[in-house]
Every structure is written in structure tokens, then in C-alpha cells.
């Protein structure tokens, strides 16, 4: 019996090129990695293919499982993942999304890697161990002997899963283990103790409250040595093939990021090697933290783009009240507003990737710019993603609230990047510290914004307001979030005015800097070129 005809349903968003993103591709060339365009497009096509999207779904539908003991009662502390997780990881590693740029001497290698990390997003969870492996290298270089042995394997483009002696494997993954129950972001309150042994190793006793991707081969961690808080490298398996006594107590039951395991662990006299000097643990591991913060910005920008193109795809194919949604004025305002936010995030993300690349090659000016701009971007772009994700979901109506649309998973993922590697308050206060202690970073930031001086009166006025904010010491900590938000907006505005599409730059300056905007998305002023902005957001499928 036929009860009805199925019609006016939106076709799946599969078979598109996730790298078909003008702001991304323009930034790739501008920041010195135009040579990687073909590689990025190849990975973008893989990321937008039905097979990758299905792997992402399955990896989240079948989350990791902790096996503390084998059937005979021996302690094994292993985590099992669905085969789709391994496929996602294999693609990421073979395409160099992990530590490969550190072994690539070409200018722009870190920019190319950032673009690839952005387009390979069928699942966000597997990006965690990929990101930590990328970020571990500069911290590990504080121990040159360890770096000489482990860095080539961290940069190798072979995915070699399983617990074995690290130096016997074809490729390695690295994790980070910092926070404890009593301290959280206040890592100086850590209680884990490192006891030195005569052979130069240390024995760790204590715990960690959050250790993501516990099946990584090695971890950078913090513990209290005789000389103070110190950074250490901890292997899961010792050189002789025996298991290091690093116990996985349980896996976290998280809001999102469910394909990725996050564990509570305990060290039972675990063997560790010192990285950097005793008492300089935070100074050492901050090199890793800064790069995972970059990936927080990349991931948030990628998530906004994913939500945007899903909403635009739906609006292009769905008819209501006799017209396609994309042709209805209010929906056009919503889509254009989402697009402006997304492009502002992407242009900033690519600028930060360029600064990271040039900083890694010894450019002191770019190092100074990155010091402030990365903290600003981490705060603001990650803060904007949850609201953006919710609005994009709503564009699909009730269909967006259903798991099969993929939007609930994207929405659950969206708060994570603002929490990971320092929540909003931590990031905002880090900006204030940099401003107070490092005048060169303020000058580098001012020079970047000043490059757009005179191009837009609304931007010029916003810059003057920020300068007044920074020169007023009263209640500066109380006002930290407002100050950092304004810093982020003037930086995004300056980048869009210089490098963005004119329609996007004008809409951003009018709404984000000129004050002609409501509290919700979809409140752009009437003079905006909606058609030009939306045209950059509709994915080409097939």
C-alpha cells in the first residue's frame, strides 16, 4: 500500500570537495603554500566523499572501549577502536596531518598541514592524537637526544597502531597528559611526583585526570621533580618490550568527541625521561600547548565551514511556501551572516598558520605576532563556534535535530575547542599577560592591524577603541573578555579588508565593527551583497 510520495527532501551532502573554499585556497597561496594546492584538493575530495562521511559516523556510533585486563586476568590497559577510526587515522597520517611538517624543509609546510587538517573533517575526534603528535615535536626538542630518536618516527607517514616498543615501530603517535583532579588548568598545583633513578630515568607516581588518546605510543607529561615541576616523556611500552605501569582507570563519558578516548590514568612508578631542565616544565610543554591551540582554531574554523555548507546545501534544495529557502530574504540573511563568521575564522586561521610556519623558520617578528594573535584567536574563534553551530543546525529545522543529519554531532563537538588547551578565561588572561610583559608582541599585533589603516572607517574607529581599552589599566582583568573580543574583531576585520572578498569584508565591518547587527545570526543590515556572500558557501555536489 502506498501512503504517500516522498518529495522535497534534500539529497545527501556527499561527493563534494571540502577544499572548495575560496577563503581557504586564497589563504593557502597568500601564506606561502600554493605548491600544496593539489594535495589539499585531493584530501578535500576524500573528506567530502560518502565513504569518509560514513567512517566518521561509524567511529562515533561505536565509541572506544577500555580493556583493563585480558581473559587470564593480566593487566593490559588497552583501548579498542572501531575499524573506521583506524581508517580515518590512516588517511590523516599518510597525508601528513601529524608531525610531517617538521621533516619538510619547504616554506609553507605548516600552512599546507593546517589546510589539510581543516579539510579532513569527517570526524573531529581522531584529530586529537593527530594534533598532539604535531605539537609534541618542538617541546621534545628540549631534549635533543630524545628528539633525535623519536622525531623521525613521529613525522613518519605510516600509521602503525598497537602497543610495542616505540623504536621498533614504523611510525609513532604522541599524546599530552597535564591536568589533575585538584588543579585542572592550574598545572603548578600538580601532585604527581618524579623520583630520579641512578640510570638517569625517573619514576612517576601519581595520576592525571584527562589523558586523551591513551593508545598513543608516548606522552609528554608534567610531574614534580626535586627541582620543581618538570616535563617528561613517558612511553606506553618500555624499550625491552614490557608495559610501562601507566594504568588506564576509566574512559570519560563526554558530551562530544566520542570517537576519541579520553582516560583517567595513574602512574605506578612509571618510567619517564626528562625533557628540558627540572623546574621548567611549563616553559617546556607550552611549546606543545601553543600548537594544539592553533589546531583548536583550525578545528573551530573547519567546524563553522562544515555547518555553513550543510545549511547552504539544505537551503538550496528545500522548498517552502513556493520558493527555495535560499531565495527567501530572511534565510539569505542567516546564511550570509553564518558565511561572514566562517570566512572571518578561516582567514584568521590561515594567517596564524602562516605565522607558525615563519616562526618555525626563525622569523622573530612572526613569533611576536603569533604570541598574541594565537591567544586572541583561540579565545574568539572557539567561542563563536557553538552559536554558529546551533544556528546552522536550525537552518535544517527539525531535520537538523535528528542524528542522521550529522548536525547534532557537530553541535556537541562545538564547545570542546574553547575548553581544550585553556578555557575562555585562561586564554583571555594569557592575552593580558602577553600585553603586560611583552611589548614587542603588542607592536607586532599593531603593525598587522595598521596595514589596513584607512581602508575602512569602521575598522579605523574600532582600532581606536581597542587602543583606548589597552591604555586603561582600571579593572583590566574584569574587562579581559571584552578587550580580547575587540582585539579579535579588529584583527579579523583588518585581514578581511586586505585579503577577503569585498562583500564579506564590508558585511563584517558593518556588523561586527560598525554595530549594525543584532544579538543573533541573521541580522545583517540591508545594504549587504547577500548573493555574492552566499555564492561562496554553496557546495558543489557530484
Amino acid at each position: 500500500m502506498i501512503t504517500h510520495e516522498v518529495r522535497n527532501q534534500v539529497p545527501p551532502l556527499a561527493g563534494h570537495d571540502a577544499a572548495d573554499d575560496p577563503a581557504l585556497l586564497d589563504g593557502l597561496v597568500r601564506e606561502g603554500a600554493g605548491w600544496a594546492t593539489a594535495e589539499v584538493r585531493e584530501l578535500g575530495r576524500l573528506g567530502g566523499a560518502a565513504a569518509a562521511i560514513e567512517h566518521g559516523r561509524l567511529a562515533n556510533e561505536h565509541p572506544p572501549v577500555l580493556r583493563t585486563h585480558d581473559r587470564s586476568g593480566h593487566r593490559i590497559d588497552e583501548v579498542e577502536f572501531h575499524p573506521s577510526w583506524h581508517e580515518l587515522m590512516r588517511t590523516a597520517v599518510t597525508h601528513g596531518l601529524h608531525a610531517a611538517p617538521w621533516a619538510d624543509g619547504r616554506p609553507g609546510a605548516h600552512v599546507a598541514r593546517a589546510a589539510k587538517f581543516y579539510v579532513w573533517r569527517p570526524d573531529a575526534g581522531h584529530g586529537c592524537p593527530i594534533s598532539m603528535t604535531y605539537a609534541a615535536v618542538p617541546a621534545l626538542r628540549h631534549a635533543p637526544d630524545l628528539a633525535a630518536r623519536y622525531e623521525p618516527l613521529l613525522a613518519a607517514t605510516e600509521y602503525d597502531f598497537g602497543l610495542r616498543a616505540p623504536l621498533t615501530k614504523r611510525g609513532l603517535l604522541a599524546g599530552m597528559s597535564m591536568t589533575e583532579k585538584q588543579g585542572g588548568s592550574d598545572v603548578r598545583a600538580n601532585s604527581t611526583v618524579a623520583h630520579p633513578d641512578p640510570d638517569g630515568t625517573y619514576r612517576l607516581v601519581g595520576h592525571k585526570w584527562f589523558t586523551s588518546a591513551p593508545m598513543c605510543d608516548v606522552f609528554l607529561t608534567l610531574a614534580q621533580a626535586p627541582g620543581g615541576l618538570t616535563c617528561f616523556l613517558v612511553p606506553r611500552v618500555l624499550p625491552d618490550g614490557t608495559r610501562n605501569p601507566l594504568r588506564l582507570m576509566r574512559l570519560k563519558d563526554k558530551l562530544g568527541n566520542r570517537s576519541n578516548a579520553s582516560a583517567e590514568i595513574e602512574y605506578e612508578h612509571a618510567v619517564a625521561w626528562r625533557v628540558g631542565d627540572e623546574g621548567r616544565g611549563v616553559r617546556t610543554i607550552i611549546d606543545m600547548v601553543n600548537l594544539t591551540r592553533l589546531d583548536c582554531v583550525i578545528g573551530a574554523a573547519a567546524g563553522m565551514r562544515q555547518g555553513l555548507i550543510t545549511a547552504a546545501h539544505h537551503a538550496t534544495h528545500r522548498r517552502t511556501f513556493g520558493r527555495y529557502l535560499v531565495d527567501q530574504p530572511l534565510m539569505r540573511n542567516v546564511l550570509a551572516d553564518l558565511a561572514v563568521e566562517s570566512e572571518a575564522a578561516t582567514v584568521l586561521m590561515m594567517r596564524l598558520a602562516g605565522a607558525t610556519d615563519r616562526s618555525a623558520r626563525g622569523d622573530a617578528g612572526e613569533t611576536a605576532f603569533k604570541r598574541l594573535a594565537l591567544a586572541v584567536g583561540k579565545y574568539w574563534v572557539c567561542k563563536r563556534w557553538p552559536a554558529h553551530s546551533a544556528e546552522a543546525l536550525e537552518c535544517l529545522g527539525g531535520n537538523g535535530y535528528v542524528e542522521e543529519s550529522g548536525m547534532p554531532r557537530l553541535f556537541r563537538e562545538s564547545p570542546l575547542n574553547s575548553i581544550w588547551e585553556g578555557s575562555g578565561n585562561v586564554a583571555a588572561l594569557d592575552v593580558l599577560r602577553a600585553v603586560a610583559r611583552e611589548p614587542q608582541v603588542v607592536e607586532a599585533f599593531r603593525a598587522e592591524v595598521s596595514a589596513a589603516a584607512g581602508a575602512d572607517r569602521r575598522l579605523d574607529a574600532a582600532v581606536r577603541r581597542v587602543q583606548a581599552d589597552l591604555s586603561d589599566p582600571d579593572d583590566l582583568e574584569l574587562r579581559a573578555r571584552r578587550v580580547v573580543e575587540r582585539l579579535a574583531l579588529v584583527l579579523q576585520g583588518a585581514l578581511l579588508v586586505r585579503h577577503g572578498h569585498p562583500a564579506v569584508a564590508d558585511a563584517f565591518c558593518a556588523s561586527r565593527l560598525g554595530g549594525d547587527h543584532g544579538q543573533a545570526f541573521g541580522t545583517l543590515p540591508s545594504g549587504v551583497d547577500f548573493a555574492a556572500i552566499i555564492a561562496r558557501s554553496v557546495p558543489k555536489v557530484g
Side-chain angles (χ1 to χ4, degrees):
M1 177 180 179
I2 300 175
T3 62
H4 67 286
E5 177 187 356
V6 178
R7 56 188 180 83
N8 195 29
Q9 289 292 309
V10 176
L13 179 54
H16 68 285
D17 179 359
D20 187 16
D21 179 342
L24 175 75
L25 296 175
D26 290 349
L28 191 67
V29 175
R30 184 173 61 251
E31 298 297 339
W35 52 265
T37 299
E39 299 173 27
V40 173
R41 296 302 292 261
E42 176 194 3
L43 190 58
R45 288 189 290 271
L46 287 176
I53 294 170
E54 180 66 0
H55 281 313
R57 184 188 72 81
L58 290 172
N60 283 272
E61 290 288 332
H62 303 278
V65 176
L66 173 61
R67 306 293 186 195
T68 57
H69 296 77
D70 67 13
R71 66 179 183 176
S72 301
H74 300 113
R75 189 90 195 207
I76 57 174
D77 295 293
E78 295 191 5
V79 180
E80 293 179 358
F81 293 88
H82 189 272
S84 286
W85 164 274
H86 295 296
E87 287 301 317
L88 295 166
M89 288 290 294
R90 186 171 292 108
T91 299
V93 170
T94 56
H95 283 81
L97 275 63
H98 60 319
W102 300 106
D104 189 339
R106 291 174 293 181
H110 293 270
V111 177
R113 181 261 170 194
K116 291 178 182 180
F117 194 70
Y118 177 96
V119 303
W120 180 245
R121 301 292 290 181
D123 159 70
H126 81 286
C128 177
I130 296 298
S131 175
M132 291 190 295
T133 303
Y134 168 64
V137 170
L140 189 60
R141 288 178 175 177
H142 288 268
D145 290 346
L146 290 173
R149 284 179 283 161
Y150 287 90
E151 186 175 326
L153 291 169
L154 292 170
T157 53
E158 289 198 53
Y159 177 58
D160 189 4
F161 182 80
L163 294 182
R164 300 189 300 282
L167 296 182
T168 69
K169 300 183 69 175
R170 300 186 306 276
L172 299 178
L173 296 172
M176 177 167 52
S177 196
M178 293 175 61
T179 59
E180 298 181 3
K181 293 183 179 75
Q182 72 283 352
S185 296
D186 182 9
V187 295
R188 296 187 187 278
N190 283 6
S191 62
T192 296
V193 177
H195 301 283
D197 274 356
D199 64 359
T201 65
Y202 289 71
R203 295 282 182 159
L204 305 189
V205 178
H207 81 285
K208 296 296 172 182
W209 191 226
F210 277 93
T211 297
S212 283
M215 287 298 285
C216 286
D217 300 288
V218 294
F219 294 86
L220 286 168
T221 193
L222 295 176
Q224 300 287 357
L229 192 64
T230 303
C231 183
F232 294 93
L233 184 69
V234 182
R236 284 297 315 270
V237 179
L238 296 172
D240 64 4
T242 59
R243 299 287 177 93
N244 207 7
L246 185 160
R247 307 304 187 199
L248 308 186
M249 307 309 292
R250 64 172 178 169
L251 301 185
K252 299 289 192 181
D253 186 7
K254 298 174 293 185
L255 169 68
N257 204 253
R258 297 184 70 83
S259 67
N260 176 43
S262 297
E264 298 169 20
I265 70 169
E266 292 185 2
Y267 298 122
E268 297 179 358
H269 295 281
V271 175
W273 300 294
R274 181 167 52 83
V275 178
D277 295 332
E278 284 194 5
R280 295 183 62 83
V282 173
R283 289 286 186 93
T284 300
I285 209 166
I286 201 67
D287 289 340
M288 184 176 189
V289 172
N290 280 334
L291 288 176
T292 51
R293 285 177 176 173
L294 171 65
D295 279 3
C296 286
V297 179
I298 298 170
M304 288 192 211
R305 178 67 182 181
Q306 187 176 350
L308 168 64
I309 65 171
T310 303
H313 176 73
H314 180 88
T316 301
H317 293 275
R318 181 76 167 177
R319 292 177 65 89
T320 61
F321 307 110
R323 289 185 294 176
Y324 286 105
L325 282 171
V326 74
D327 295 327
Q328 300 187 20
L330 190 52
M331 179 58 81
R332 291 172 69 77
N333 199 322
V334 171
L335 291 173
D337 212 354
L338 291 172
V340 168
E341 193 71 37
S342 173
E343 292 209 23
T346 300
V347 73
L348 175 55
M349 175 273 290
M350 291 301 286
R351 178 65 183 91
L352 292 174
T356 298
D357 190 88
R358 291 182 282 275
S359 174
R361 299 173 198 286
D363 188 320
E366 288 290 86
T367 299
F369 169 74
K370 179 173 72 76
R371 169 66 184 95
L372 184 56
L374 181 54
V376 167
K378 165 65 167 69
Y379 172 81
W380 183 241
V381 174
C382 297
K383 270 277 177 274
R384 295 296 286 163
W385 186 18
H388 190 279
S389 177
E391 194 69 57
L393 182 155
E394 190 175 324
C395 289
L396 278 65
N399 291 322
Y401 203 68
V402 175
E403 287 289 342
E404 290 170 319
S405 72
M407 295 301 281
R409 173 153 57 95
L410 186 69
F411 180 66
R412 288 192 300 271
E413 194 72 30
S414 62
L416 174 61
N417 290 28
S418 188
I419 297 169
W420 194 33
E421 307 307 353
S423 59
N425 285 355
V426 173
L429 293 174
D430 187 36
V431 171
L432 294 192
R433 278 194 300 273
V435 169
R437 299 176 184 176
E438 305 173 61
Q440 73 277 13
V441 308
V442 179
E443 287 305 313
F445 190 94
R446 183 178 289 119
E448 181 73 22
V449 173
S450 296
D456 189 286
R457 57 177 177 76
R458 298 159 298 193
L459 174 59
D460 291 341
V463 171
R464 290 192 293 272
R465 288 194 295 270
V466 169
Q467 291 172 336
D469 280 333
L470 292 177
S471 63
D472 180 5
D474 293 340
D475 296 323
L476 191 55
E477 183 173 332
L478 184 68
R479 296 183 290 114
R481 285 189 174 218
R482 179 178 295 190
V483 172
V484 177
E485 176 180 325
R486 288 177 173 175
L487 285 168
L489 290 173
V490 297
L491 179 56
Q492 287 180 316
L495 291 169
L496 285 171
V497 165
R498 293 173 60 203
H499 308 301
H501 188 282
V504 175
D506 177 66
F508 183 92
C509 290
S511 57
R512 274 68 171 173
L513 301 179
D516 197 353
H517 195 267
Q519 296 299 310
F521 285 103
T523 55
L524 290 172
S526 58
V528 165
D529 189 345
F530 294 99
I533 297 171
I534 294 170
R536 296 165 62 85
S537 310
V538 178
K540 301 177 182 66
V541 179

